[in-house]
Amino acid sequence: MTIPTLALNDGRSIPQIGYGVFKVPADDTERAVSEALEVGYRHIDTAAIYGNEEGVGAAISRSGIARDELFVTTKLWNDRQAGDGPDAAIAESLDKLGLDAVDLYLVHWPAPANDEYLHAWERLVGIRERGLARSIGVSNFLVPHLTRIVAATGVVPAVNQIELHPAHQQREIVSWARDNDVRIEAWGPLGQGKYDLFSIPAVADAAAAHGKTPAQVVLRWHLQHGNIVFPKSVRAERLRENLDVLDFALSDVEFAAIDAIDPGDGSGRVGSHPDDVN
């Protein structure tokens, strides 16, 4: 199985399907990541705040997979944005991961009440220049945050990782990203089970038509939008199911019907608003 890759604006490429370890317990992370790697995942997404970077690193080390075949992401937490915090934080993350560099380092949230995200972005530019992160980006940034960091530094993030699923499609951010050659990574791509996504007719009907599960249909919708996705599971059979989305395509009608699920008023958000996480 060959997982598709997407080109980033810095000349590198990124696997379009990854394995995210958000809320995977620290003592179960090595096993879960090892199973993901065995199934065929090569893109692992973690964060300092998840508390499981050591488990990710142990699984990578044990796997025997060549480093250049893996894509590893981690993130800078909000309380490390000021001063020398970003430089200390990346050093700690690399030590826990057992790596010389990550493939992607993200500012986890803008944390606007602290007003340090521009400083953090400037430090990430330096971290990339020193070779500690091959690409840099942001997570949960809204358009005003994005325009500010780009205007101040001239450096456009490679990605913006945001909450994105059929009920909350964040079209303003996606449009800005498309216009500025920024890739969108979708966290919570299936809505985190917080609403009955799979029984919505647009999803259920497409699943029946293609002989796929509703989850596979939604993941396929993401891929056809060009999103990078991190479906989460700690079960090997579900890990395999989440990769089995490359042998079919949604029709234009099916695709548009899923697009139409989002009312466009922000009511479908299931996670925190970026202005409220500080």
Side-chain angles (χ1 to χ4, degrees), residues 33-213:
V33 174
S34 294
E35 287 192 352
L37 294 172
E38 289 168 9
V39 166
Y41 290 83
R42 292 295 182 266
H43 179 179
I44 307 299
D45 180 271
T46 186
I49 196 66
Y50 298 171
N52 54 22
E53 289 171 313
E54 294 98 329
V56 171
I60 290 171
S61 177
R62 200 178 79 180
S63 73
I65 298 169
R67 177 65 182 91
D68 62 3
E69 294 180 21
L70 296 171
F71 194 102
V72 181
T73 298
T74 194
K75 309 178 189 78
L76 172 73
W77 187 241
N78 305 345
D79 63 1
R80 309 301 294 278
Q81 290 185 5
D84 293 331
D87 302 282
I90 186 63
E92 291 168 16
S93 287
L94 291 175
D95 182 62
K96 291 175 180 178
L97 290 163
L99 301 175
D100 295 326
V102 289
D103 296 278
L104 181 62
Y105 196 41
L106 305 180
V107 181
H108 204 151
W109 293 85
N114 304 330
D115 196 25
E116 294 287 355
Y117 65 86
L118 173 55
H119 172 80
W121 181 245
E122 292 169 340
R123 288 300 181 100
L124 259 67
V125 173
I127 286 167
R128 183 182 66 178
E129 290 172 348
R130 298 202 308 278
L132 302 178
R134 297 183 176 117
S135 296
I136 55 174
V138 296
S139 182
N140 301 297
F141 273 46
L142 304 176
V143 171
H145 310 132
L146 293 162
T147 56
R148 183 184 179 199
I149 64 171
V150 173
T153 66
V155 179
V156 180
V159 306
N160 187 14
Q161 184 178 128
I162 59 174
E163 177 188 341
L164 200 156
H165 45 84
H168 190 58
Q169 295 175 34
Q170 306 233 54
R171 294 186 177 112
E172 181 187 14
I173 299 173
V174 170
S175 177
W176 188 94
R178 185 182 305 113
D179 290 344
N180 290 274
D181 195 22
V182 175
R183 292 294 183 185
I184 291 292
E185 296 186 331
W187 65 257
L190 304 177
Q192 296 186 323
K194 294 182 179 179
Y195 64 101
D196 197 5
L197 172 60
F198 297 160
S199 69
I200 294 174
V203 174
D205 292 350
H210 291 279
K212 293 289 185 176
T213 67

Side-chain angles (χ1 to χ4, degrees), residues 195-256:
Y195 64 101
D196 197 5
L197 172 60
F198 297 160
S199 69
I200 294 174
V203 174
D205 292 350
H210 291 279
K212 293 289 185 176
T213 67
Q216 289 171 322
V217 161
V218 175
L219 293 175
R220 183 68 209 180
W221 171 82
H222 278 286
L223 297 185
Q224 289 181 220
H225 263 297
N227 299 334
I228 299 155
V229 292
F230 305 104
K232 176 184 171 292
S233 178
V234 293
R235 294 165 41 208
E237 63 271 22
R238 185 60 57 81
L239 291 170
R240 294 187 184 91
E241 177 187 309
N242 290 338
L243 281 182
D244 187 21
V245 293
L246 305 176
D247 60 350
F248 77 107
L250 299 173
S251 70
D252 290 346
V253 171
E254 292 166 336
F255 189 71

